[in-house]
Amino acid sequence: MSDSYTPREKPTPEQRKAREAERRRDAEQAMRDHQLAQEAFQKNRERLKAERLAREAADQK
């Protein structure tokens, strides 16, 4: 085991701002991706429900 310890350098205010901005952009992109996935899921669910209802109506006749 090594006894040498090298502390990390503290980020400068500019580096902190840049990192915060990048994290904010990443979070916004993740939210957009999630919203698109939810919309696609709902659209597919509605399509499948319509198909099921049409099948059931055809079976009733």
Side-chain angles (χ1 to χ4, degrees):
M1 192 165 174
S2 176
D3 289 331
S4 64
Y5 170 73
T6 54
R8 293 191 316 187
E9 293 181 23
K10 288 189 175 183
T12 65
E14 293 82 18
Q15 289 172 326
R16 278 196 300 271
K17 283 184 180 183
R19 185 172 53 216
E20 288 171 9
E22 182 180 358
R23 290 182 70 191
R24 194 175 309 112
R25 282 190 306 272
D26 290 346
E28 289 169 356
Q29 182 63 45
M31 290 300 291
R32 281 192 297 270
D33 291 346
H34 176 73
Q35 184 64 31
L36 288 173
Q38 288 296 102
E39 290 171 4
F41 176 83
Q42 290 298 330
K43 192 173 181 180
N44 191 43
R45 182 174 181 237
E46 290 171 10
R47 180 185 61 82
L48 292 171
K49 181 179 179 180
E51 289 178 7
R52 178 180 53 83
L53 292 174
R55 252 190 335 269
E56 289 175 355
D59 289 344
Q60 294 287 329
K61 292 184 178 182

Short mmCIF file of all heavy atoms in Angstrom, two decimals:
data_model
loop_
_atom_site.label_atom_id
_atom_site.label_comp_id
_atom_site.label_asym_id
_atom_site.label_seq_id
_atom_site.Cartn_x
_atom_site.Cartn_y
_atom_site.Cartn_z
N MET A 1 0.83 -1.17 0.00
CA MET A 1 0.00 0.00 0.00
C MET A 1 0.88 1.23 0.00
O MET A 1 1.89 1.29 0.68
CB MET A 1 -0.90 -0.02 1.23
CG MET A 1 -1.98 0.98 1.19
SD MET A 1 -3.17 0.51 2.46
CE MET A 1 -4.20 1.87 2.34
N SER A 2 0.47 2.23 -0.74
CA SER A 2 1.29 3.42 -0.87
C SER A 2 0.92 4.45 0.19
O SER A 2 -0.24 4.68 0.49
CB SER A 2 1.08 4.02 -2.27
OG SER A 2 1.80 5.22 -2.38
N ASP A 3 1.95 5.09 0.74
CA ASP A 3 1.71 6.14 1.73
C ASP A 3 1.67 7.52 1.10
O ASP A 3 1.48 8.50 1.80
CB ASP A 3 2.81 6.11 2.80
CG ASP A 3 2.66 4.89 3.71
OD1 ASP A 3 1.51 4.45 3.88
OD2 ASP A 3 3.67 4.41 4.22
N SER A 4 1.89 7.59 -0.19
CA SER A 4 1.88 8.91 -0.83
C SER A 4 0.44 9.34 -1.10
O SER A 4 -0.37 8.59 -1.63
CB SER A 4 2.68 8.87 -2.12
OG SER A 4 2.06 8.02 -3.04
N TYR A 5 0.17 10.54 -0.69
CA TYR A 5 -1.17 11.09 -0.85
C TYR A 5 -1.03 12.39 -1.62
O TYR A 5 -0.29 13.29 -1.23
CB TYR A 5 -1.81 11.36 0.51
CG TYR A 5 -3.10 12.15 0.43
CD1 TYR A 5 -4.26 11.57 -0.04
CD2 TYR A 5 -3.14 13.48 0.82
CE1 TYR A 5 -5.44 12.28 -0.12
CE2 TYR A 5 -4.31 14.21 0.74
CZ TYR A 5 -5.46 13.60 0.27
OH TYR A 5 -6.63 14.31 0.19
N THR A 6 -1.73 12.47 -2.73
CA THR A 6 -1.71 13.71 -3.51
C THR A 6 -3.13 14.26 -3.53
O THR A 6 -4.03 13.67 -4.13
CB THR A 6 -1.22 13.46 -4.95
OG1 THR A 6 -2.01 12.44 -5.53
CG2 THR A 6 0.23 13.03 -4.97
N PRO A 7 -3.34 15.37 -2.85
CA PRO A 7 -4.69 15.94 -2.82
C PRO A 7 -5.08 16.46 -4.20
O PRO A 7 -4.23 16.90 -4.98
CB PRO A 7 -4.57 17.07 -1.81
CG PRO A 7 -3.13 17.41 -1.75
CD PRO A 7 -2.38 16.16 -2.10
N ARG A 8 -6.37 16.37 -4.45
CA ARG A 8 -6.86 16.89 -5.72
C ARG A 8 -6.86 18.41 -5.67
O ARG A 8 -7.08 19.01 -4.63
CB ARG A 8 -8.28 16.41 -6.00
CG ARG A 8 -8.35 14.93 -6.25
CD ARG A 8 -9.68 14.50 -6.78
NE ARG A 8 -10.81 15.14 -6.07
CZ ARG A 8 -12.07 14.81 -6.27
NH1 ARG A 8 -12.37 13.89 -7.13
NH2 ARG A 8 -13.03 15.41 -5.61
N GLU A 9 -6.64 18.99 -6.84
CA GLU A 9 -6.70 20.44 -6.91
C GLU A 9 -8.15 20.88 -6.86
O GLU A 9 -9.03 20.24 -7.45
CB GLU A 9 -6.07 20.92 -8.22
CG GLU A 9 -4.58 20.68 -8.31
CD GLU A 9 -4.03 21.21 -9.62
OE1 GLU A 9 -4.65 22.10 -10.23
OE2 GLU A 9 -2.98 20.71 -10.03
N LYS A 10 -8.40 21.97 -6.18
CA LYS A 10 -9.75 22.51 -6.14
C LYS A 10 -10.04 23.16 -7.48
O LYS A 10 -9.18 23.85 -8.04
CB LYS A 10 -9.89 23.53 -5.02
CG LYS A 10 -9.90 22.93 -3.65
CD LYS A 10 -10.27 23.95 -2.62
CE LYS A 10 -10.39 23.29 -1.26
NZ LYS A 10 -10.82 24.24 -0.24
N PRO A 11 -11.24 22.93 -7.99
CA PRO A 11 -11.56 23.56 -9.28
C PRO A 11 -11.70 25.08 -9.13
O PRO A 11 -12.13 25.58 -8.09
CB PRO A 11 -12.90 22.93 -9.67
CG PRO A 11 -13.45 22.38 -8.42
CD PRO A 11 -12.31 22.10 -7.50
N THR A 12 -11.34 25.75 -10.18
CA THR A 12 -11.48 27.20 -10.18
C THR A 12 -12.95 27.55 -10.33
O THR A 12 -13.76 26.70 -10.74
CB THR A 12 -10.68 27.82 -11.34
OG1 THR A 12 -11.26 27.38 -12.57
CG2 THR A 12 -9.21 27.44 -11.28
N PRO A 13 -13.33 28.77 -10.01
CA PRO A 13 -14.74 29.15 -10.20
C PRO A 13 -15.21 28.96 -11.65
O PRO A 13 -16.35 28.55 -11.88
CB PRO A 13 -14.75 30.63 -9.80
CG PRO A 13 -13.63 30.77 -8.84
CD PRO A 13 -12.57 29.81 -9.33
N GLU A 14 -14.33 29.21 -12.60
CA GLU A 14 -14.70 29.02 -14.01
C GLU A 14 -14.95 27.54 -14.30
O GLU A 14 -15.87 27.18 -15.03
CB GLU A 14 -13.60 29.56 -14.94
CG GLU A 14 -13.44 31.06 -14.90
CD GLU A 14 -12.58 31.52 -13.73
OE1 GLU A 14 -11.83 30.69 -13.15
OE2 GLU A 14 -12.68 32.71 -13.39
N GLN A 15 -14.10 26.67 -13.73
CA GLN A 15 -14.28 25.23 -13.94
C GLN A 15 -15.57 24.75 -13.29
O GLN A 15 -16.28 23.92 -13.85
CB GLN A 15 -13.10 24.46 -13.36
CG GLN A 15 -11.81 24.63 -14.14
CD GLN A 15 -10.62 24.02 -13.43
OE1 GLN A 15 -10.56 24.03 -12.19
NE2 GLN A 15 -9.67 23.51 -14.21
N ARG A 16 -15.89 25.29 -12.10
CA ARG A 16 -17.14 24.91 -11.44
C ARG A 16 -18.34 25.34 -12.27
O ARG A 16 -19.30 24.58 -12.45
CB ARG A 16 -17.22 25.54 -10.05
CG ARG A 16 -16.46 24.75 -9.00
CD ARG A 16 -16.86 25.16 -7.60
NE ARG A 16 -16.62 26.57 -7.31
CZ ARG A 16 -15.49 27.07 -6.82
NH1 ARG A 16 -14.49 26.27 -6.55
NH2 ARG A 16 -15.39 28.35 -6.58
N LYS A 17 -18.30 26.56 -12.79
CA LYS A 17 -19.41 27.04 -13.62
C LYS A 17 -19.56 26.20 -14.87
O LYS A 17 -20.67 25.87 -15.28
CB LYS A 17 -19.21 28.51 -13.99
CG LYS A 17 -19.52 29.45 -12.87
CD LYS A 17 -19.40 30.89 -13.32
CE LYS A 17 -19.73 31.83 -12.17
NZ LYS A 17 -19.68 33.22 -12.58
N ALA A 18 -18.43 25.85 -15.50
CA ALA A 18 -18.48 25.03 -16.71
C ALA A 18 -19.05 23.65 -16.40
O ALA A 18 -19.87 23.13 -17.16
CB ALA A 18 -17.08 24.91 -17.31
N ARG A 19 -18.64 23.08 -15.26
CA ARG A 19 -19.14 21.76 -14.89
C ARG A 19 -20.64 21.82 -14.57
O ARG A 19 -21.41 20.94 -14.98
CB ARG A 19 -18.37 21.21 -13.69
CG ARG A 19 -18.78 19.79 -13.35
CD ARG A 19 -17.91 19.17 -12.30
NE ARG A 19 -17.83 20.02 -11.12
CZ ARG A 19 -16.74 20.16 -10.37
NH1 ARG A 19 -15.64 19.50 -10.66
NH2 ARG A 19 -16.74 20.95 -9.31
N GLU A 20 -21.07 22.87 -13.88
CA GLU A 20 -22.49 23.03 -13.58
C GLU A 20 -23.31 23.19 -14.85
O GLU A 20 -24.39 22.61 -14.98
CB GLU A 20 -22.69 24.23 -12.66
CG GLU A 20 -22.22 24.00 -11.25
CD GLU A 20 -22.23 25.27 -10.41
OE1 GLU A 20 -22.79 26.29 -10.87
OE2 GLU A 20 -21.69 25.24 -9.30
N ALA A 21 -22.79 23.97 -15.80
CA ALA A 21 -23.49 24.17 -17.07
C ALA A 21 -23.60 22.85 -17.83
O ALA A 21 -24.65 22.55 -18.41
CB ALA A 21 -22.77 25.22 -17.91
N GLU A 22 -22.53 22.07 -17.82
CA GLU A 22 -22.55 20.78 -18.52
C GLU A 22 -23.55 19.83 -17.86
O GLU A 22 -24.32 19.15 -18.55
CB GLU A 22 -21.16 20.16 -18.50
CG GLU A 22 -21.10 18.84 -19.24
CD GLU A 22 -19.71 18.22 -19.23
OE1 GLU A 22 -18.77 18.82 -18.69
OE2 GLU A 22 -19.59 17.11 -19.77
N ARG A 23 -23.57 19.80 -16.53
CA ARG A 23 -24.52 18.94 -15.82
C ARG A 23 -25.95 19.37 -16.10
O ARG A 23 -26.84 18.54 -16.25
CB ARG A 23 -24.23 18.96 -14.32
CG ARG A 23 -22.93 18.26 -13.98
CD ARG A 23 -22.68 18.24 -12.51
NE ARG A 23 -23.64 17.33 -11.89
CZ ARG A 23 -23.85 17.24 -10.60
NH1 ARG A 23 -23.17 18.01 -9.77
NH2 ARG A 23 -24.71 16.39 -10.11
N ARG A 24 -26.17 20.69 -16.17
CA ARG A 24 -27.51 21.20 -16.47
C ARG A 24 -27.94 20.78 -17.88
O ARG A 24 -29.08 20.33 -18.08
CB ARG A 24 -27.52 22.72 -16.33
CG ARG A 24 -28.90 23.32 -16.28
CD ARG A 24 -28.90 24.83 -16.02
NE ARG A 24 -28.08 25.20 -14.86
CZ ARG A 24 -26.93 25.90 -14.95
NH1 ARG A 24 -26.46 26.29 -16.12
NH2 ARG A 24 -26.25 26.20 -13.86
N ARG A 25 -27.02 20.90 -18.85
CA ARG A 25 -27.34 20.48 -20.22
C ARG A 25 -27.64 18.98 -20.26
O ARG A 25 -28.57 18.55 -20.93
CB ARG A 25 -26.18 20.81 -21.17
CG ARG A 25 -26.11 22.24 -21.60
CD ARG A 25 -25.12 22.45 -22.73
NE ARG A 25 -23.79 21.93 -22.43
CZ ARG A 25 -22.83 22.61 -21.82
NH1 ARG A 25 -23.03 23.84 -21.45
NH2 ARG A 25 -21.65 22.05 -21.59
N ASP A 26 -26.83 18.19 -19.56
CA ASP A 26 -27.06 16.75 -19.52
C ASP A 26 -28.41 16.41 -18.90
O ASP A 26 -29.13 15.55 -19.39
CB ASP A 26 -25.95 16.05 -18.73
CG ASP A 26 -24.61 16.04 -19.45
OD1 ASP A 26 -24.58 16.34 -20.67
OD2 ASP A 26 -23.59 15.75 -18.80
N ALA A 27 -28.76 17.13 -17.84
CA ALA A 27 -30.05 16.88 -17.18
C ALA A 27 -31.21 17.26 -18.10
O ALA A 27 -32.21 16.53 -18.19
CB ALA A 27 -30.13 17.66 -15.88
N GLU A 28 -31.08 18.38 -18.80
CA GLU A 28 -32.13 18.79 -19.72
C GLU A 28 -32.29 17.78 -20.85
O GLU A 28 -33.42 17.46 -21.24
CB GLU A 28 -31.83 20.18 -20.28
CG GLU A 28 -31.99 21.29 -19.25
CD GLU A 28 -31.44 22.62 -19.72
OE1 GLU A 28 -30.86 22.70 -20.82
OE2 GLU A 28 -31.59 23.61 -18.96
N GLN A 29 -31.17 17.27 -21.36
CA GLN A 29 -31.24 16.26 -22.43
C GLN A 29 -31.89 14.99 -21.91
O GLN A 29 -32.71 14.37 -22.59
CB GLN A 29 -29.84 15.96 -22.98
CG GLN A 29 -29.84 14.95 -24.11
CD GLN A 29 -30.60 15.45 -25.32
OE1 GLN A 29 -30.44 16.59 -25.73
NE2 GLN A 29 -31.41 14.60 -25.91
N ALA A 30 -31.56 14.59 -20.69
CA ALA A 30 -32.16 13.39 -20.11
C ALA A 30 -33.66 13.57 -19.95
O ALA A 30 -34.44 12.64 -20.22
CB ALA A 30 -31.51 13.08 -18.76
N MET A 31 -34.09 14.75 -19.55
CA MET A 31 -35.53 15.01 -19.41
C MET A 31 -36.22 14.97 -20.77
O MET A 31 -37.32 14.43 -20.89
CB MET A 31 -35.76 16.37 -18.74
CG MET A 31 -35.38 16.39 -17.28
SD MET A 31 -36.29 15.21 -16.28
CE MET A 31 -37.91 15.92 -16.33
N ARG A 32 -35.58 15.53 -21.79
CA ARG A 32 -36.17 15.47 -23.14
C ARG A 32 -36.28 14.03 -23.62
O ARG A 32 -37.31 13.62 -24.17
CB ARG A 32 -35.33 16.29 -24.13
CG ARG A 32 -35.58 17.78 -24.06
CD ARG A 32 -34.94 18.51 -25.23
NE ARG A 32 -33.49 18.38 -25.24
CZ ARG A 32 -32.65 19.21 -24.63
NH1 ARG A 32 -33.11 20.23 -23.96
NH2 ARG A 32 -31.36 19.02 -24.70
N ASP A 33 -35.22 13.25 -23.40
CA ASP A 33 -35.24 11.84 -23.81
C ASP A 33 -36.35 11.08 -23.07
O ASP A 33 -37.05 10.27 -23.68
CB ASP A 33 -33.89 11.18 -23.53
CG ASP A 33 -32.78 11.70 -24.42
OD1 ASP A 33 -33.08 12.37 -25.43
OD2 ASP A 33 -31.60 11.44 -24.09
N HIS A 34 -36.48 11.35 -21.79
CA HIS A 34 -37.52 10.69 -21.00
C HIS A 34 -38.91 11.07 -21.51
O HIS A 34 -39.78 10.20 -21.66
CB HIS A 34 -37.37 11.07 -19.53
CG HIS A 34 -38.45 10.52 -18.65
ND1 HIS A 34 -38.51 9.19 -18.32
CD2 HIS A 34 -39.51 11.11 -18.07
CE1 HIS A 34 -39.58 8.99 -17.56
NE2 HIS A 34 -40.19 10.14 -17.39
N GLN A 35 -39.11 12.35 -21.80
CA GLN A 35 -40.41 12.81 -22.29
C GLN A 35 -40.73 12.15 -23.63
O GLN A 35 -41.87 11.71 -23.85
CB GLN A 35 -40.41 14.33 -22.43
CG GLN A 35 -41.74 14.90 -22.84
CD GLN A 35 -42.83 14.66 -21.81
OE1 GLN A 35 -42.56 14.61 -20.62
NE2 GLN A 35 -44.05 14.51 -22.27
N LEU A 36 -39.76 12.06 -24.52
CA LEU A 36 -40.00 11.42 -25.82
C LEU A 36 -40.34 9.95 -25.65
O LEU A 36 -41.22 9.42 -26.33
CB LEU A 36 -38.76 11.57 -26.72
CG LEU A 36 -38.52 12.97 -27.27
CD1 LEU A 36 -37.18 13.02 -28.00
CD2 LEU A 36 -39.65 13.40 -28.19
N ALA A 37 -39.66 9.28 -24.73
CA ALA A 37 -39.93 7.87 -24.48
C ALA A 37 -41.34 7.69 -23.92
O ALA A 37 -42.06 6.77 -24.31
CB ALA A 37 -38.90 7.29 -23.52
N GLN A 38 -41.74 8.58 -23.01
CA GLN A 38 -43.09 8.51 -22.44
C GLN A 38 -44.15 8.73 -23.51
O GLN A 38 -45.17 8.04 -23.55
CB GLN A 38 -43.26 9.55 -21.33
CG GLN A 38 -42.51 9.20 -20.07
CD GLN A 38 -43.05 7.94 -19.44
OE1 GLN A 38 -42.44 6.87 -19.56
NE2 GLN A 38 -44.17 8.03 -18.79
N GLU A 39 -43.92 9.70 -24.40
CA GLU A 39 -44.87 9.97 -25.47
C GLU A 39 -44.99 8.77 -26.41
O GLU A 39 -46.09 8.40 -26.82
CB GLU A 39 -44.47 11.22 -26.24
CG GLU A 39 -44.66 12.49 -25.44
CD GLU A 39 -44.06 13.71 -26.11
OE1 GLU A 39 -43.54 13.60 -27.25
OE2 GLU A 39 -44.09 14.79 -25.48
N ALA A 40 -43.86 8.16 -26.75
CA ALA A 40 -43.87 6.99 -27.61
C ALA A 40 -44.61 5.83 -26.94
O ALA A 40 -45.40 5.12 -27.58
CB ALA A 40 -42.45 6.58 -27.97
N PHE A 41 -44.39 5.66 -25.64
CA PHE A 41 -45.05 4.60 -24.89
C PHE A 41 -46.57 4.81 -24.91
O PHE A 41 -47.34 3.88 -25.16
CB PHE A 41 -44.53 4.57 -23.45
CG PHE A 41 -45.23 3.58 -22.58
CD1 PHE A 41 -44.86 2.26 -22.59
CD2 PHE A 41 -46.29 3.98 -21.76
CE1 PHE A 41 -45.51 1.33 -21.79
CE2 PHE A 41 -46.94 3.07 -20.96
CZ PHE A 41 -46.56 1.74 -20.98
N GLN A 42 -47.01 6.02 -24.62
CA GLN A 42 -48.44 6.31 -24.58
C GLN A 42 -49.08 6.12 -25.96
O GLN A 42 -50.20 5.58 -26.07
CB GLN A 42 -48.69 7.75 -24.09
CG GLN A 42 -48.38 7.94 -22.63
CD GLN A 42 -49.26 7.08 -21.72
OE1 GLN A 42 -50.39 6.76 -22.05
NE2 GLN A 42 -48.71 6.69 -20.59
N LYS A 43 -48.39 6.55 -27.00
CA LYS A 43 -48.92 6.40 -28.36
C LYS A 43 -49.08 4.92 -28.70
O LYS A 43 -50.11 4.50 -29.24
CB LYS A 43 -47.96 7.08 -29.34
CG LYS A 43 -48.50 7.25 -30.71
CD LYS A 43 -47.52 8.08 -31.54
CE LYS A 43 -48.04 8.30 -32.92
NZ LYS A 43 -47.12 9.10 -33.75
N ASN A 44 -48.08 4.12 -28.36
CA ASN A 44 -48.15 2.68 -28.63
C ASN A 44 -49.25 2.04 -27.80
O ASN A 44 -49.99 1.17 -28.29
CB ASN A 44 -46.80 2.03 -28.34
CG ASN A 44 -46.74 0.61 -28.84
OD1 ASN A 44 -47.19 0.32 -29.95
ND2 ASN A 44 -46.19 -0.27 -28.04
N ARG A 45 -49.38 2.46 -26.55
CA ARG A 45 -50.41 1.91 -25.67
C ARG A 45 -51.81 2.19 -26.22
O ARG A 45 -52.68 1.32 -26.23
CB ARG A 45 -50.24 2.52 -24.28
CG ARG A 45 -51.21 2.00 -23.27
CD ARG A 45 -50.86 2.57 -21.90
NE ARG A 45 -51.77 2.07 -20.91
CZ ARG A 45 -52.52 2.84 -20.13
NH1 ARG A 45 -52.42 4.14 -20.21
NH2 ARG A 45 -53.32 2.31 -19.25
N GLU A 46 -52.02 3.42 -26.69
CA GLU A 46 -53.32 3.78 -27.28
C GLU A 46 -53.60 2.96 -28.54
O GLU A 46 -54.73 2.51 -28.76
CB GLU A 46 -53.36 5.27 -27.58
CG GLU A 46 -53.40 6.12 -26.34
CD GLU A 46 -53.24 7.60 -26.63
OE1 GLU A 46 -53.27 8.00 -27.82
OE2 GLU A 46 -53.05 8.37 -25.67
N ARG A 47 -52.56 2.76 -29.36
CA ARG A 47 -52.73 1.96 -30.58
C ARG A 47 -53.12 0.52 -30.23
O ARG A 47 -54.06 -0.04 -30.81
CB ARG A 47 -51.43 1.97 -31.40
CG ARG A 47 -51.50 1.16 -32.68
CD ARG A 47 -50.14 1.11 -33.37
NE ARG A 47 -49.11 0.48 -32.55
CZ ARG A 47 -48.93 -0.83 -32.44
NH1 ARG A 47 -49.73 -1.68 -33.08
NH2 ARG A 47 -47.96 -1.31 -31.69
N LEU A 48 -52.42 -0.06 -29.27
CA LEU A 48 -52.71 -1.43 -28.88
C LEU A 48 -54.11 -1.56 -28.27
O LEU A 48 -54.82 -2.53 -28.52
CB LEU A 48 -51.66 -1.94 -27.90
CG LEU A 48 -50.26 -2.14 -28.49
CD1 LEU A 48 -49.27 -2.43 -27.37
CD2 LEU A 48 -50.27 -3.24 -29.52
N LYS A 49 -54.51 -0.56 -27.49
CA LYS A 49 -55.84 -0.58 -26.89
C LYS A 49 -56.91 -0.53 -27.98
O LYS A 49 -57.91 -1.26 -27.93
CB LYS A 49 -56.01 0.60 -25.93
CG LYS A 49 -57.35 0.63 -25.25
CD LYS A 49 -57.45 1.81 -24.29
CE LYS A 49 -58.81 1.83 -23.63
NZ LYS A 49 -58.93 2.98 -22.69
N ALA A 50 -56.71 0.32 -28.99
CA ALA A 50 -57.67 0.43 -30.09
C ALA A 50 -57.75 -0.90 -30.84
O ALA A 50 -58.85 -1.34 -31.20
CB ALA A 50 -57.26 1.55 -31.03
N GLU A 51 -56.61 -1.53 -31.06
CA GLU A 51 -56.62 -2.83 -31.74
C GLU A 51 -57.36 -3.87 -30.91
O GLU A 51 -58.14 -4.66 -31.44
CB GLU A 51 -55.19 -3.30 -32.01
CG GLU A 51 -54.47 -2.52 -33.08
CD GLU A 51 -53.04 -2.98 -33.27
OE1 GLU A 51 -52.64 -4.01 -32.66
OE2 GLU A 51 -52.32 -2.32 -34.04
N ARG A 52 -57.13 -3.88 -29.61
CA ARG A 52 -57.80 -4.84 -28.73
C ARG A 52 -59.30 -4.61 -28.73
O ARG A 52 -60.09 -5.57 -28.85
CB ARG A 52 -57.26 -4.73 -27.30
CG ARG A 52 -57.96 -5.68 -26.33
CD ARG A 52 -57.42 -5.55 -24.92
NE ARG A 52 -57.40 -4.20 -24.40
CZ ARG A 52 -58.45 -3.58 -23.83
NH1 ARG A 52 -59.61 -4.20 -23.72
NH2 ARG A 52 -58.32 -2.36 -23.37
N LEU A 53 -59.72 -3.36 -28.63
CA LEU A 53 -61.15 -3.06 -28.63
C LEU A 53 -61.80 -3.45 -29.96
O LEU A 53 -62.92 -3.96 -29.99
CB LEU A 53 -61.39 -1.58 -28.32
CG LEU A 53 -61.03 -1.16 -26.90
CD1 LEU A 53 -61.16 0.36 -26.75
CD2 LEU A 53 -61.89 -1.88 -25.88
N ALA A 54 -61.09 -3.24 -31.05
CA ALA A 54 -61.62 -3.62 -32.36
C ALA A 54 -61.75 -5.14 -32.46
O ALA A 54 -62.74 -5.65 -32.98
CB ALA A 54 -60.71 -3.08 -33.47
N ARG A 55 -60.77 -5.85 -31.95
CA ARG A 55 -60.82 -7.32 -31.94
C ARG A 55 -62.01 -7.81 -31.11
O ARG A 55 -62.75 -8.72 -31.51
CB ARG A 55 -59.52 -7.90 -31.38
CG ARG A 55 -58.64 -8.55 -32.38
CD ARG A 55 -57.48 -9.33 -31.75
NE ARG A 55 -57.05 -8.94 -30.43
CZ ARG A 55 -56.10 -8.04 -30.18
NH1 ARG A 55 -55.49 -7.43 -31.16
NH2 ARG A 55 -55.75 -7.79 -28.93
N GLU A 56 -62.15 -7.21 -29.91
CA GLU A 56 -63.27 -7.63 -29.04
C GLU A 56 -64.61 -7.33 -29.68
O GLU A 56 -65.55 -8.11 -29.56
CB GLU A 56 -63.12 -6.94 -27.68
CG GLU A 56 -61.98 -7.47 -26.86
CD GLU A 56 -61.78 -6.69 -25.57
OE1 GLU A 56 -62.47 -5.67 -25.36
OE2 GLU A 56 -60.91 -7.09 -24.77
N ALA A 57 -64.71 -6.19 -30.35
CA ALA A 57 -65.97 -5.84 -31.02
C ALA A 57 -66.25 -6.81 -32.15
O ALA A 57 -67.41 -7.20 -32.37
CB ALA A 57 -65.90 -4.41 -31.55
N ALA A 58 -65.21 -7.23 -32.88
CA ALA A 58 -65.40 -8.18 -33.97
C ALA A 58 -65.79 -9.55 -33.43
O ALA A 58 -66.59 -10.25 -34.04
CB ALA A 58 -64.10 -8.29 -34.78
N ASP A 59 -65.28 -9.93 -32.29
CA ASP A 59 -65.63 -11.22 -31.66
C ASP A 59 -67.07 -11.22 -31.15
O ASP A 59 -67.70 -12.27 -31.09
CB ASP A 59 -64.67 -11.54 -30.52
CG ASP A 59 -63.28 -11.89 -31.00
OD1 ASP A 59 -63.11 -12.18 -32.20
OD2 ASP A 59 -62.35 -11.88 -30.16
N GLN A 60 -67.57 -10.07 -30.78
CA GLN A 60 -68.94 -9.96 -30.26
C GLN A 60 -69.98 -10.21 -31.35
O GLN A 60 -71.09 -10.61 -31.06
CB GLN A 60 -69.16 -8.57 -29.65
CG GLN A 60 -68.35 -8.31 -28.41
CD GLN A 60 -68.84 -9.07 -27.20
OE1 GLN A 60 -70.02 -9.33 -27.08
NE2 GLN A 60 -67.92 -9.47 -26.33
N LYS A 61 -69.63 -9.96 -32.59
CA LYS A 61 -70.60 -10.10 -33.69
C LYS A 61 -70.84 -11.50 -34.10
O LYS A 61 -70.39 -12.47 -33.93
CB LYS A 61 -70.12 -9.31 -34.92
CG LYS A 61 -70.17 -7.82 -34.65
CD LYS A 61 -69.79 -7.10 -35.89
CE LYS A 61 -69.87 -5.58 -35.64
NZ LYS A 61 -69.56 -4.83 -36.78
#
